[in-house]
C-alpha cells in the first residue's frame, strides 16, 4: 500500500471532517501518500482528485459538513462511470480508498473492489445511525443534540399556548433519531417506522391527558413513519379527533453544526481504524465501534443486515409521558 484516496459520499454528517483529518494524518504518519476526492463518486469519475497534506486538514475538526463535499452520483451506478472512476485512481497508483458514507456509498465501494480490485474501507457516517456493524455512526449524536435543543424551544411555546405540536425529525427508513430525541425531549408520543403507529390510540391518549390537565403535548415523528410525515399525521389526527396541532419539520438543520465530543471521538477513532485496516491488508470492510472496541465487517453486511433499535429505549418510548 503506497497511496490512498478519501471521499465522502451520500448525506453529509457532522464529524466527517474530524474523520478526514484522522485518516489523512494517520496515513501520512505511516508513510502513505494521500489524495482527497471532491464530491464523492461523481468527483472520482470527473477526476477531481488532489494530493492532501497535513495542513489541508488543519482547523477542520470542529466544523460540520465535509471539506471534500458530497454528492449522490447516478453516473457511478453505471459500468461506464465506474470504469472512469477506477482509471482515475489507477493512473495515480492509488491502491486504497476510504469511503465515509452510508450503506448506499458502501455498495459503490464494494463494486469498485469487485470489478477493479481497488481496496476499499467504509467508515459509517450518517446522522440516521442505521448501519449494522457499528453501535453508532458518525453524525448521529450531533443530530440528536441539535434536534433536542430545538424541541426544548418548541416545548416552551407549546406550553405557553396549550398546544399540540408534531415535530418531524430525519430518518428516512429508521427511527433511531426519533427514538433518542423523543425520549430525551420527554415527548408524549414517539412515532417511528419500526413500531405500529396507531392514530386512534394516539388521539385517545392526547385527549385523556387534556382531561387530567396536561394542556400541551409534543409528538416526535420520524420522517419515514408508515403513517406519513408530520403534516400527514397532523391531518389524520385532526380528521380522527378534531384535535388541531402545529407542525415543525426540523429537516436539514440536523445535518449541520459543529460535531459533539462523541462524534469527534468516534470519527477520529474510525479514521485511524480505516488506515490501519488498509495497512493490515484487510479484506474490503467497514470499520465500526462495538461495545467500545473497533470492529471490521464485510461491506455487504451494511445493507444485508438490519440494525435493531435498542429494546430498552423502545420500551421507554411509551409509559414515561
Ligand atoms: O443522510 C441521511 C438523511 O439525512 C436522511 O435522514 C434524510 O432522509 C436524507 O438524508 C435526506 O437526503 P437529501 O439531503 O439528499 O434530501
Amino acid at each position: 500500500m503506497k497511496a490512498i484516496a478519501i471521499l465522502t459520499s451520500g448525506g453529509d454528517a457532522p464529524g466527517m471532517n474530524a474523520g478526514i483529518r484522522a485518516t489523512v494524518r494517520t496515513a501520512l504518519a505511516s508513510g502513505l501518500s494521500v489524495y482527497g476526492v471532491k464530491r464523492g463518486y461523481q468527483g472520482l469519475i470527473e477526476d477531481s482528485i488532489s494530493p492532501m497534506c497535513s495542513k489541508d486538514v488543519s482547523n477542520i475538526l470542529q466544523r460540520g459538513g465535509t471539506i471534500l463535499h458530497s454528492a449522490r452520483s447516478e453516473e457511478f451506478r453505471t459500468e461506464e462511470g465506474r470504469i472512469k472512476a477506477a482509471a482515475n485512481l489507477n493512473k495515480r497508483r492509488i491502491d486504497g480508498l476510504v469511503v465515509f458514507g452510508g450503506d448506499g456509498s458502501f455498495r459503490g465501494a464494494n463494486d469498485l473492489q469487485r470489478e477493479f480490485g481497488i481496496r476499499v474501507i467504509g467508515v459509517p457516517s450518517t446522522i440516521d445511525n442505521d448501519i449494522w456493524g457499528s453501535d453508532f455512526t458518525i453524525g448521529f449524536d450531533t443530530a440528536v443534540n441539535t434536534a433536542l435543543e430545538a424541541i426544548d424551544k418548541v416545548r416552551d411555546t407549546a406550553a405557553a399556548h396549550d398546544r399540540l405540536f408534531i415535530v418531524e425529525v430525519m430518518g428516512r427508513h429508521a427511527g433511531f433519531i426519533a427514538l433518542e430525541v423523543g425520549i430525551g425531549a420527554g415527548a408524549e408520543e414517539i412515532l417511528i417506522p419500526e413500531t405500529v403507529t396507531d392514530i386512534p390510540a394516539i388521539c385517545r391518549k392526547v385527549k385523556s391527558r387534556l382531561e387530567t390537565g396536561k394542556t400541551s403535548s409534543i409528538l416526535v415523528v420520524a420522517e419515514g413513519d408508515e403513517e406519513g410525515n408530520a403534516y400527514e399525521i397532523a391531518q389524520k389526527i385532526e380528521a380522527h379527533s378534531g384535535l388541531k396541532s402545529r407542525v415543525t419539520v426540523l429537516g436539514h438543520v440536523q445535518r449541520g453544526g459543529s460535531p459533539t465530543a462523541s462524534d469527534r471521538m468516534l470519527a477520529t477513532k474510525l479514521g485511524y481504524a480505516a488506515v490501519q485496516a488498509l495497512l493490515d491488508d484487510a479484506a474490503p470492510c467497514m470499520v465500526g465501534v462495538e461495545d467500545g472496541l473497533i470492529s471490521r465487517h464485510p461491506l455487504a453486511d451494511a445493507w444485508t443486515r438490519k440494525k435493531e433499535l435498542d429494546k430498552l429505549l423502545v420500551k421507554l418510548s411509551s409509559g414515561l409521558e
Side-chain angles (χ1 to χ4, degrees), residues 10-12 72 126-128 170-173 177 223 252 255:
D12 59 308
R72 303 191 195 268
T126 161
I127 64 164
D128 288 355
M170 275 190 165
R172 206 173 359 198
H173 308 295
I177 298 178
E223 64 176 329
H252 287 79
R255 286 241 295 259

Side-chain angles (χ1 to χ4, degrees), residues 83-129:
I83 288 172
K84 284 188 209 160
N88 289 332
L89 289 172
N90 287 335
K91 75 181 183 196
R92 293 180 176 84
R93 299 181 191 281
I94 295 171
D95 35 15
L97 178 67
V98 177
V99 174
F100 288 79
D103 56 349
S105 310
F106 294 172
R107 277 179 203 249
N110 205 49
D111 289 342
L112 269 186
Q113 186 275 324
R114 194 169 35 82
E115 295 167 2
F116 306 99
I118 289 154
R119 302 253 310 288
V120 289
I121 306 293
V123 182
S125 316
T126 161
I127 64 164
D128 288 355
N129 198 30

Side-chain angles (χ1 to χ4, degrees), residues 187-262:
E188 277 67 26
E189 303 288 337
I190 302 170
L191 286 57
I192 51 178
E194 292 86 348
T195 59
V196 175
T197 296
D198 182 345
I199 299 284
I202 291 170
C203 296
R204 275 197 304 281
K205 287 201 260 175
V206 173
K207 282 199 162 167
S208 85
R209 282 190 211 107
L210 277 172
E211 282 155 20
T212 59
K214 195 165 194 178
T215 53
S216 66
S217 288
I218 293 193
L219 275 50
V220 169
V221 55
E223 64 176 329
D225 188 77
E226 77 279 11
E227 283 292 342
N229 63 29
Y231 287 102
E232 289 161 334
I233 303 269
Q235 277 170 3
K236 288 182 183 179
I237 288 179
E238 186 169 354
H240 187 82
S241 63
L243 285 165
K244 291 197 183 307
S245 58
R246 291 288 191 277
V247 169
T248 302
V249 177
L250 296 182
H252 287 79
V253 72
Q254 295 158 98
R255 286 241 295 259
S258 181
T260 58
S262 296

Side-chain angles (χ1 to χ4, degrees), residues 1-76:
M1 179 72 40
K2 293 224 164 44
I4 69 164
I6 308 170
L7 63 80
T8 50
S9 166
D12 59 308
M16 276 180 163
N17 281 328
I20 294 167
R21 171 181 175 271
T23 308
V24 169
R25 293 202 168 153
T26 305
L28 291 174
S30 310
L32 302 175
S33 306
V34 184
Y35 292 83
V37 182
K38 283 267 169 84
R39 297 185 315 284
Y41 292 116
Q42 195 56 35
L44 209 50
I45 293 169
E46 292 166 3
D47 209 16
S48 297
I49 306 173
S50 317
M52 290 184 90
C53 66
S54 183
K55 203 164 169 296
D56 292 326
V57 292
S58 288
N59 203 17
I60 65 166
L61 175 76
Q62 74 284 13
R63 283 167 52 193
T66 157
I67 58 161
L68 292 176
H69 298 233
S70 189
R72 303 191 195 268
S73 171
E74 283 306 317
E75 197 179 349
F76 191 73

